[in-house]
Amino acid sequence: MIKLTKKGAPTQLTQNFIDQGKIDFSADKKSRPWAKDWIRSALKDESNNKCSYCEQSLGERGLYLEVEHFYVKSVYEDKILDWNNLLASCKTCNLKKSTLDVGKEPIINPFFDEPKSHLKINRYRYEAKTDLGEVTILSLDLNNYDSLSKNRFALCYAIQDQIKALVQRVQDIGANVPSTRVVLNIRNKATTILQNAQPDHAFSASVATEIIGTAEFIPIKEFLEANGEWNQILSDLYDSAKDIAMLD
């Protein structure tokens, strides 16, 4: 889970549309005035095409976007079309949260809370720093092995292998002067590794924590700095990963 930013509501979400949607929902609870393609599209854009909670990519392996009401619609009917109450969610997280009344039992809202203030990641699993973090982990079952932990582990393990391979190349070079081709190859692979720790990639919090939370990436960074190829792109990617990483 990473910090997200609410953007402006779609222009189609007019007060007239909201008022009519509330009337329709009040008359028929099976009506779904929020089930509009333009609402889904805007929510997906806000969450970087991922579930706002678990960070799984939406649209992959049957993970379709569901419009999540942070304040449950069965209790807070006045908020059914409140833009600040709508999030992009995968079906699993939406079902896990279900009818939880966050007005009585709050959980993290990644648009208005800083997740890393309440959560940390240790060996691909979420751990709570606060009571709010603990309730969030339990409510969304964020450490469910089959649906989440297994996938986070597989991705981070692959990233770890890539880092180790690059570190080995750097160590093999040692005090020798590397060719330009070798330096550029290492630079490009380091860039790819860091790109996996960016907000628009699945499980970016886990990957960023894996990269920043250990010292293994440092020899690669130092090698590229020494050879004049730690450029602004890499620096920005690295700083972004540091901002996302969920450490103590």
Side-chain angles (χ1 to χ4, degrees):
M1 189 183 295
I2 63 173
K3 183 71 175 69
L4 299 171
T5 301
K6 267 290 175 187
K7 301 178 182 178
T11 56
Q12 301 98 316
L13 193 65
T14 63
Q15 191 58 52
N16 286 339
F17 180 87
I18 293 171
D19 291 342
Q20 187 60 52
K22 289 179 180 179
I23 292 171
D24 293 344
F25 186 72
S26 179
D28 179 8
K29 294 300 186 287
K30 291 183 179 180
S31 69
R32 292 160 50 85
W34 54 84
K36 303 293 183 183
D37 287 343
W38 48 270
I39 289 180
R40 294 175 183 272
S41 178
L43 291 175
K44 195 173 181 181
D45 180 59
E46 284 186 338
S47 67
N48 303 300
N49 294 333
K50 300 187 296 185
C51 174
S52 302
Y53 296 124
C54 73
E55 282 202 277
Q56 292 195 94
S57 293
L58 296 169
E60 296 181 2
R61 303 185 307 277
L63 296 171
Y64 301 113
L65 182 154
E66 295 202 351
V67 178
E68 146 76 351
H69 293 80
F70 189 70
Y71 286 90
V72 63
K73 56 186 176 290
S74 60
V75 179
Y76 302 91
E77 289 190 20
D78 61 316
K79 293 181 179 291
I80 61 167
L81 290 170
D82 180 344
W83 189 246
N84 287 333
N85 191 45
L86 304 181
L87 299 82
S89 172
C90 68
K91 185 178 184 66
T92 300
C93 284
N94 203 10
L95 288 173
K96 296 282 187 180
K97 180 172 171 286
S98 187
T99 57
L100 176 72
D101 184 351
V102 299
K104 296 179 179 177
E105 190 71 85
I107 65 170
I108 296 168
N109 184 330
F111 285 99
F112 299 104
D113 302 309
E114 175 52 79
K116 67 180 183 180
S117 295
H118 305 281
L119 301 169
K120 63 180 179 179
I121 295 176
N122 182 25
R123 297 181 65 83
Y124 325 115
R125 291 175 58 84
Y126 281 99
E127 294 180 357
K129 291 182 177 179
T130 65
D131 288 343
L132 186 65
E134 183 174 4
V135 175
T136 301
I137 293 170
L138 293 173
S139 299
L140 299 173
D141 198 12
L142 289 176
N143 288 325
N144 183 281
Y145 178 75
D146 285 334
S147 62
L148 293 172
S149 295
K150 178 174 63 177
N151 297 329
R152 290 197 298 261
F153 173 81
L155 177 58
C156 290
Y157 195 80
I159 295 294
Q160 191 179 73
D161 279 350
Q162 293 172 37
I163 293 173
K164 287 180 177 178
L166 277 191
V167 170
Q168 187 60 56
R169 289 197 69 184
V170 169
Q171 290 174 343
D172 289 344
I173 293 168
N176 297 319
V177 178
S179 69
T180 299
R181 182 177 299 180
V182 167
V183 174
L184 293 179
N185 184 267
I186 291 174
R187 181 202 65 184
N188 293 345
K189 289 184 176 180
T191 302
T192 299
I193 289 170
L194 288 172
Q195 285 172 336
N196 280 278
Q198 302 310 302
D200 60 344
H201 281 63
F203 304 122
S204 58
S206 297
V207 176
T209 303
E210 182 67 24
I211 294 171
I212 303 300
T214 68
E216 293 185 356
F217 192 81
I218 299 301
I220 302 169
K221 182 174 181 290
E222 292 176 344
F223 172 85
L224 291 172
E225 288 172 337
N227 287 278
E229 285 298 335
W230 184 260
N231 55 30
Q232 191 61 51
I233 293 173
L234 280 165
S235 182
D236 290 345
L237 290 171
Y238 190 76
D239 287 344
S240 176
K242 285 172 63 178
D243 188 56
I244 290 173
M246 289 186 148
L247 304 168
D248 287 327

PDB file of all heavy atoms in Angstrom, residues 219-230:
ATOM      1  N   PRO A 219      26.410  -1.194  -3.780  1.00  0.00           N
ATOM      2  CA  PRO A 219      27.585  -1.334  -4.659  1.00  0.00           C
ATOM      3  C   PRO A 219      27.298  -0.983  -6.118  1.00  0.00           C
ATOM      4  O   PRO A 219      28.179  -0.463  -6.817  1.00  0.00           O
ATOM      5  CB  PRO A 219      27.958  -2.813  -4.515  1.00  0.00           C
ATOM      6  CG  PRO A 219      27.400  -3.219  -3.197  1.00  0.00           C
ATOM      7  CD  PRO A 219      26.137  -2.442  -3.045  1.00  0.00           C
ATOM      8  N   ILE A 220      26.074  -1.247  -6.570  1.00  0.00           N
ATOM      9  CA  ILE A 220      25.699  -0.911  -7.942  1.00  0.00           C
ATOM     10  C   ILE A 220      25.653   0.613  -8.090  1.00  0.00           C
ATOM     11  O   ILE A 220      26.183   1.184  -9.059  1.00  0.00           O
ATOM     12  CB  ILE A 220      24.330  -1.521  -8.300  1.00  0.00           C
ATOM     13  CG1 ILE A 220      24.359  -3.043  -8.125  1.00  0.00           C
ATOM     14  CG2 ILE A 220      23.912  -1.137  -9.711  1.00  0.00           C
ATOM     15  CD1 ILE A 220      22.998  -3.699  -8.194  1.00  0.00           C
ATOM     16  N   LYS A 221      25.029   1.262  -7.133  1.00  0.00           N
ATOM     17  CA  LYS A 221      24.934   2.731  -7.138  1.00  0.00           C
ATOM     18  C   LYS A 221      26.328   3.356  -7.109  1.00  0.00           C
ATOM     19  O   LYS A 221      26.628   4.283  -7.882  1.00  0.00           O
ATOM     20  CB  LYS A 221      24.115   3.191  -5.937  1.00  0.00           C
ATOM     21  CG  LYS A 221      23.887   4.697  -5.820  1.00  0.00           C
ATOM     22  CD  LYS A 221      22.924   4.976  -4.665  1.00  0.00           C
ATOM     23  CE  LYS A 221      22.623   6.461  -4.513  1.00  0.00           C
ATOM     24  NZ  LYS A 221      23.787   7.224  -4.016  1.00  0.00           N
ATOM     25  N   GLU A 222      27.182   2.862  -6.235  1.00  0.00           N
ATOM     26  CA  GLU A 222      28.530   3.421  -6.115  1.00  0.00           C
ATOM     27  C   GLU A 222      29.357   3.196  -7.389  1.00  0.00           C
ATOM     28  O   GLU A 222      30.118   4.073  -7.799  1.00  0.00           O
ATOM     29  CB  GLU A 222      29.234   2.802  -4.904  1.00  0.00           C
ATOM     30  CG  GLU A 222      28.622   3.236  -3.573  1.00  0.00           C
ATOM     31  CD  GLU A 222      29.253   2.537  -2.381  1.00  0.00           C
ATOM     32  OE1 GLU A 222      29.932   1.501  -2.591  1.00  0.00           O
ATOM     33  OE2 GLU A 222      29.061   3.014  -1.246  1.00  0.00           O
ATOM     34  N   PHE A 223      29.182   2.036  -8.013  1.00  0.00           N
ATOM     35  CA  PHE A 223      29.884   1.743  -9.265  1.00  0.00           C
ATOM     36  C   PHE A 223      29.475   2.730 -10.350  1.00  0.00           C
ATOM     37  O   PHE A 223      30.328   3.269 -11.080  1.00  0.00           O
ATOM     38  CB  PHE A 223      29.588   0.308  -9.706  1.00  0.00           C
ATOM     39  CG  PHE A 223      30.100  -0.047 -11.070  1.00  0.00           C
ATOM     40  CD1 PHE A 223      31.408  -0.474 -11.243  1.00  0.00           C
ATOM     41  CD2 PHE A 223      29.276   0.053 -12.190  1.00  0.00           C
ATOM     42  CE1 PHE A 223      31.891  -0.785 -12.517  1.00  0.00           C
ATOM     43  CE2 PHE A 223      29.749  -0.265 -13.455  1.00  0.00           C
ATOM     44  CZ  PHE A 223      31.059  -0.683 -13.610  1.00  0.00           C
ATOM     45  N   LEU A 224      28.181   2.957 -10.477  1.00  0.00           N
ATOM     46  CA  LEU A 224      27.693   3.865 -11.511  1.00  0.00           C
ATOM     47  C   LEU A 224      28.093   5.303 -11.220  1.00  0.00           C
ATOM     48  O   LEU A 224      28.402   6.072 -12.142  1.00  0.00           O
ATOM     49  CB  LEU A 224      26.173   3.734 -11.642  1.00  0.00           C
ATOM     50  CG  LEU A 224      25.684   2.391 -12.222  1.00  0.00           C
ATOM     51  CD1 LEU A 224      24.171   2.278 -12.123  1.00  0.00           C
ATOM     52  CD2 LEU A 224      26.141   2.226 -13.664  1.00  0.00           C
ATOM     53  N   GLU A 225      28.102   5.693  -9.954  1.00  0.00           N
ATOM     54  CA  GLU A 225      28.567   7.033  -9.588  1.00  0.00           C
ATOM     55  C   GLU A 225      30.042   7.206  -9.964  1.00  0.00           C
ATOM     56  O   GLU A 225      30.444   8.236 -10.528  1.00  0.00           O
ATOM     57  CB  GLU A 225      28.375   7.267  -8.090  1.00  0.00           C
ATOM     58  CG  GLU A 225      26.920   7.457  -7.674  1.00  0.00           C
ATOM     59  CD  GLU A 225      26.724   7.502  -6.172  1.00  0.00           C
ATOM     60  OE1 GLU A 225      27.593   6.972  -5.443  1.00  0.00           O
ATOM     61  OE2 GLU A 225      25.706   8.064  -5.730  1.00  0.00           O
ATOM     62  N   ALA A 226      30.839   6.190  -9.663  1.00  0.00           N
ATOM     63  CA  ALA A 226      32.283   6.258  -9.942  1.00  0.00           C
ATOM     64  C   ALA A 226      32.574   6.319 -11.439  1.00  0.00           C
ATOM     65  O   ALA A 226      33.596   6.871 -11.856  1.00  0.00           O
ATOM     66  CB  ALA A 226      32.986   5.054  -9.316  1.00  0.00           C
ATOM     67  N   ASN A 227      31.652   5.767 -12.231  1.00  0.00           N
ATOM     68  CA  ASN A 227      31.866   5.734 -13.683  1.00  0.00           C
ATOM     69  C   ASN A 227      30.997   6.751 -14.433  1.00  0.00           C
ATOM     70  O   ASN A 227      30.835   6.659 -15.648  1.00  0.00           O
ATOM     71  CB  ASN A 227      31.608   4.322 -14.206  1.00  0.00           C
ATOM     72  CG  ASN A 227      32.714   3.353 -13.831  1.00  0.00           C
ATOM     73  OD1 ASN A 227      33.739   3.294 -14.489  1.00  0.00           O
ATOM     74  ND2 ASN A 227      32.509   2.607 -12.743  1.00  0.00           N
ATOM     75  N   GLY A 228      30.449   7.710 -13.688  1.00  0.00           N
ATOM     76  CA  GLY A 228      29.729   8.824 -14.298  1.00  0.00           C
ATOM     77  C   GLY A 228      28.406   8.482 -14.934  1.00  0.00           C
ATOM     78  O   GLY A 228      27.910   9.226 -15.787  1.00  0.00           O
ATOM     79  N   GLU A 229      27.787   7.362 -14.521  1.00  0.00           N
ATOM     80  CA  GLU A 229      26.523   6.956 -15.133  1.00  0.00           C
ATOM     81  C   GLU A 229      25.364   6.879 -14.136  1.00  0.00           C
ATOM     82  O   GLU A 229      24.310   6.335 -14.459  1.00  0.00           O
ATOM     83  CB  GLU A 229      26.682   5.618 -15.855  1.00  0.00           C
ATOM     84  CG  GLU A 229      27.430   5.719 -17.173  1.00  0.00           C
ATOM     85  CD  GLU A 229      26.717   6.597 -18.194  1.00  0.00           C
ATOM     86  OE1 GLU A 229      25.483   6.748 -18.109  1.00  0.00           O
ATOM     87  OE2 GLU A 229      27.407   7.147 -19.076  1.00  0.00           O
ATOM     88  N   TRP A 230      25.561   7.409 -12.924  1.00  0.00           N
ATOM     89  CA  TRP A 230      24.418   7.542 -12.005  1.00  0.00           C
ATOM     90  C   TRP A 230      23.752   8.865 -12.366  1.00  0.00           C
ATOM     91  O   TRP A 230      24.036   9.911 -11.796  1.00  0.00           O
ATOM     92  CB  TRP A 230      24.870   7.518 -10.547  1.00  0.00           C
ATOM     93  CG  TRP A 230      23.708   7.547  -9.590  1.00  0.00           C
ATOM     94  CD1 TRP A 230      23.227   8.628  -8.918  1.00  0.00           C
ATOM     95  CD2 TRP A 230      22.864   6.451  -9.223  1.00  0.00           C
ATOM     96  NE1 TRP A 230      22.140   8.280  -8.156  1.00  0.00           N
ATOM     97  CE2 TRP A 230      21.889   6.948  -8.331  1.00  0.00           C
ATOM     98  CE3 TRP A 230      22.828   5.098  -9.583  1.00  0.00           C
ATOM     99  CZ2 TRP A 230      20.908   6.139  -7.772  1.00  0.00           C
ATOM    100  CZ3 TRP A 230      21.835   4.294  -9.028  1.00  0.00           C
ATOM    101  CH2 TRP A 230      20.898   4.809  -8.132  1.00  0.00           C
TER     102      TRP A 230
END
